[in-house]
């Protein structure tokens, strides 16, 4: 196995729904395992058998992983302190993905357009409160004019 870095996100009981939504939006390969699918002997806590123990969504360029939060604390999800940055090949593809997240209950945070540094950039919050940032390098195809949806 080679060295890699994946993003891991814990959601408050909505992990399965979120990853299924992201799978619909982005495609890729989805592998989801619930606690009820695992041998639960020796666990330091009593998980809900329907809670997500681990999920992985393999996408072109990376992997998004996660699981359900296992305590009763209220963790902030919607925030601008972090985002999932997805760099894609064209402004048209980025706009298509942004539109899918918005039509799935999300909202635009920053319009997707040419940024002052020359690349395309924009942000959207999905319906789970996760901020997705989209980037297209200026040397990529489709860079003339504003990307439209």
């Amino acid at each position: 196995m080679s060295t890699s870095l994946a993003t891991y996100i814990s959601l408050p009981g909505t992990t399965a729904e979120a990853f299924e939504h992201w799978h619909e939006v982005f495609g890729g390969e989805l592998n989801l395992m619930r606690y009820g699918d695992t041998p639960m002997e020796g666990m330091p806590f009593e998980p809900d058998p329907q809670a997500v123990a681990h999920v992985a969504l393999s996408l072109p360029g990376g992997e998004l992983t996660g699981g359900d939060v296992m305590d009763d604390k209220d963790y902030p999800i919607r925030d601008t302190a972090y985002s999932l940055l997805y760099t894609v090949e064209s402004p048209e593809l980025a706009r298509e993905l942004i539109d899918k997240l918005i039509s799935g209950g999300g909202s635009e945070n920053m319009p997707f357009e040419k940024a002052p540094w020359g690349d395309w950039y924009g942000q959207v919050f999905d319906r789970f409160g996760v901020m997705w940032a989209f980037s297209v390098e200026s040397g990529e195809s489709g860079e003339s004019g504003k990307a439209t949806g």
Side-chain angles (χ1 to χ4, degrees):
M1 175 182 231
S2 63
T3 302
S4 67
L5 177 66
T7 300
Y8 189 95
I9 187 165
S10 296
L11 296 168
T14 57
T15 301
E17 182 185 354
F19 274 79
E20 288 163 0
H21 176 64
W22 298 334
H23 184 238
E24 289 174 14
V25 170
F26 298 104
E29 183 179 333
L30 180 66
N31 293 299
L32 187 140
M33 179 175 50
R34 296 181 187 277
Y35 280 100
D37 301 329
T38 68
M40 295 204 286
E41 303 90 40
M43 292 279 229
F45 55 92
E46 185 72 32
D48 176 343
Q50 290 302 308
V52 174
H54 182 73
V55 61
L57 178 58
S58 297
L59 300 170
E63 185 172 51
L64 182 60
T65 59
D68 280 325
V69 172
M70 288 291 105
D71 60 31
D72 294 334
K73 294 181 183 172
D74 185 22
Y75 295 99
I77 301 296
R78 186 179 174 108
D79 199 343
T80 57
Y82 75 94
S83 64
L84 301 178
L85 175 63
Y86 202 31
T87 301
V88 296
E89 306 82 45
S90 70
E92 293 78 18
L93 176 57
R95 174 51 60 198
E96 177 184 326
L97 297 171
I98 289 167
D99 289 345
K100 285 181 181 180
L101 288 170
I102 292 171
S103 69
S107 61
E108 185 176 68
N109 188 53
M110 179 184 290
F112 182 73
E113 56 193 18
K114 275 286 206 159
W117 58 88
D119 294 345
W120 289 89
Y121 183 82
Q123 301 169 347
V124 60
F125 281 102
D126 68 19
R127 71 177 184 235
F128 303 96
V130 174
M131 187 168 79
W132 291 85
F134 291 88
S135 178
V136 177
E137 294 178 5
S138 61
E140 301 297 325
S141 65
E143 68 176 272
S144 62
K146 184 175 181 177
T148 59

